[in-house]
Amino acid sequence: MKQCLLLFTFLCVAILSSFSQQKIDILGNAGKEQEIKLSEVAKSVRVIPLETTEECLLGTDLKIYYGEEYIFVCDQRQPGAFYRFSKDGKFLNKIGCSGEGPEEYIRSLSFSVDEDKKELWVVDSRGNNFVIYSYDGKFMRKIPIHNAYTYQVVLRENDIIYANNMFYHSSKNYELLRASRQDGKLIQRVRSTVPEDYKIRLLLREPLLYTYQNEVYYKNPLKNVICVLRDGLKQYRRYELNIGMVDNENRDDYFNPKKNRNMINIAGVYETEDFLLFFYGYKEKAYWMLCSKQDWMCKANNYEDCFTDD
């Protein structure tokens, strides 16, 4: 009987351990710059010069999506012009146009690409619409963005998930929204959990959404965890991050610009089978942090130094 009880206890511990969230110490490594070799994050490197023409004069502030067939570029200084290139960098066409017409976007700094349906979704937060174009630049349709100011969008086969960058202004706002990709009709939404008077004006963080192995991951900027979204928008804790924030943090700190600059601001997360790569700001500097999934050891390097070419 005792042996059975011990075996049952061991199995329970093993099961609980398999579902426990992994802790990642970002703050502890934040100011300790270490060499990150390029071979640790990439198997090969290819330099692709992007062709410029009179129709496509690229600036320096670009968002780039490197797809299976094409390269898509958003020039954020134009304001928000979208271009398609071949995998060799040859300019193919401009996509969409800014303006207030029925087939235009007012202003956009973000986009998503659906490679299966060959669509580019321009996120027009000012116009409160997703403006969808075909790869060749033909306008297809608009669907509404509901009560959200968003840059973060995940396209799926039948629905879309997007995060509200302004959810923390009031508990009446919605933090996460799930809608039909056909007409934008809301399917599910998660209301903000911040107190009614938690109207932060100097918050320098934004929510993060990314996909890995066909699952959607989400980080609330006011919390120190990355969750995987399952069963719709239900959040399951996956990674706990030490970023110098705790649940009972003094909210008045958010009104203090100096304290805001000294907080860790995670601006991007990239996940593979072997590692997580974080892009974040800390004490007015930008950093990359590589976290190995083999031993969960982390090392950070200054954004300007980037990776050592080995």
Side-chain angles (χ1 to χ4, degrees):
M1 182 67 180
K2 289 183 179 179
Q3 289 180 338
C4 291
L5 182 60
L6 287 172
L7 178 60
F8 177 76
T9 302
F10 173 79
L11 289 174
C12 287
V13 171
I15 292 172
L16 289 173
S17 299
S18 67
F19 285 93
S20 63
Q21 58 187 356
Q22 179 62 46
K23 296 183 178 182
I24 300 175
D25 186 10
I26 295 181
L27 181 64
N29 294 277
K32 303 175 183 177
E33 297 184 26
Q34 303 179 57
E35 181 183 66
I36 301 178
K37 295 181 179 180
L38 191 57
S39 60
E40 296 180 77
V41 296
K43 293 181 179 179
S44 62
V45 176
R46 182 185 176 198
V47 178
I48 303 175
L50 298 178
E51 178 186 15
T52 57
T53 68
E54 292 185 359
E55 189 180 0
C56 174
L57 296 175
L58 297 177
T60 58
D61 192 1
L62 305 176
K63 279 191 174 182
I64 299 175
Y65 176 88
Y66 185 83
E68 293 183 2
E69 295 182 89
Y70 303 103
I71 300 171
F72 297 89
V73 176
C74 169
D75 189 336
Q76 298 186 311
R77 292 186 180 274
Q78 290 201 31
F82 301 89
Y83 305 98
R84 180 170 65 118
F85 296 84
S86 71
K87 294 297 286 288
D88 295 323
K90 179 178 176 56
F91 172 65
L92 299 176
N93 61 279
K94 185 177 180 181
I95 298 178
C97 181
S98 62
E100 298 189 18
E103 299 184 358
E104 299 172 332
Y105 52 88
I106 296 178
R107 180 178 173 85
S108 177
L109 300 177
S110 181
F111 68 100
S112 293
V113 177
D114 187 327
E115 298 199 59
D116 292 332
K117 293 181 171 58
K118 300 188 183 304
E119 295 177 344
L120 183 135
W121 287 52
V122 172
V123 183
D124 184 5
S125 293
R126 185 168 294 181
N128 294 318
N129 286 298
F130 297 107
V131 187
I132 299 101
Y133 298 95
S134 63
Y135 276 9
D136 60 6
K138 181 181 178 181
F139 170 79
M140 301 182 70
R141 64 190 183 280
K142 287 184 179 180
I143 65 173
I145 297 175
H146 293 276
N147 299 320
Y149 188 85
T150 185
Y151 295 128
Q152 302 286 334
V153 182
V154 172
L155 303 176
R156 303 200 295 183
E157 183 176 358
N158 298 313
D159 61 8
I160 57 177
I161 293 175
Y162 55 99
N164 181 12
N165 290 46
M166 308 298 286
F167 77 91
Y168 51 79
H169 278 266
S170 170
S171 61
K172 294 181 180 179
N173 289 348
Y174 290 100
E175 177 180 334
L176 279 172
L177 302 98
R178 177 170 161 246
S180 164
R181 65 173 294 153
Q182 297 303 316
D183 57 13
K185 184 177 180 180
L186 284 177
I187 300 172
Q188 188 180 6
R189 53 194 176 182
V190 175
R191 191 179 291 278
S192 169
T193 57
V194 300
E196 177 63 30
D197 61 345
Y198 206 99
K199 296 181 179 179
I200 306 165
R201 300 296 177 183
L202 293 175
L203 183 66
L204 302 180
R205 305 178 183 90
E206 295 179 355
L208 294 176
L209 281 172
Y210 70 93
T211 57
Y212 170 63
Q213 292 186 340
N214 296 319
E215 291 198 290
V216 182
Y217 288 76
Y218 169 66
K219 183 188 177 304
N220 178 315
L222 298 178
K223 296 181 180 179
N224 62 348
V225 294
I226 295 176
C227 297
V228 59
L229 302 181
R230 292 173 181 164
D231 307 320
L233 297 180
K234 191 170 182 179
Q235 300 178 39
Y236 295 85
R237 298 164 72 97
R238 183 65 183 91
Y239 301 113
E240 180 180 345
L241 310 177
N242 176 20
I243 54 178
M245 297 175 62
V246 292
D247 291 338
N248 62 350
E249 184 176 2
N250 185 351
R251 65 193 179 97
D252 292 334
D253 288 349
Y254 291 112
F255 294 93
N256 187 320
K258 185 176 180 179
K259 288 188 176 181
N260 265 267
R261 287 195 296 268
N262 290 337
M263 293 178 181
I264 290 177
N265 169 29
I266 298 180
V269 183
Y270 309 89
E271 184 167 359
T272 73
E273 184 178 351
D274 300 317
F275 61 80
L276 281 102
L277 183 64
F278 296 90
F279 177 58
Y280 65 94
Y282 178 62
K283 292 186 176 181
E284 300 184 334
K285 289 185 178 181
Y287 293 89
W288 290 105
M289 176 171 287
L290 184 69
C291 183
S292 169
K293 286 186 175 181
Q294 302 301 316
D295 53 16
W296 296 103
M297 297 294 291
C298 299
K299 52 184 178 180
N301 197 10
N302 191 296
Y303 173 75
E304 294 180 355
D305 296 335
C306 204
F307 310 118
T308 301
D309 187 358
D310 58 343

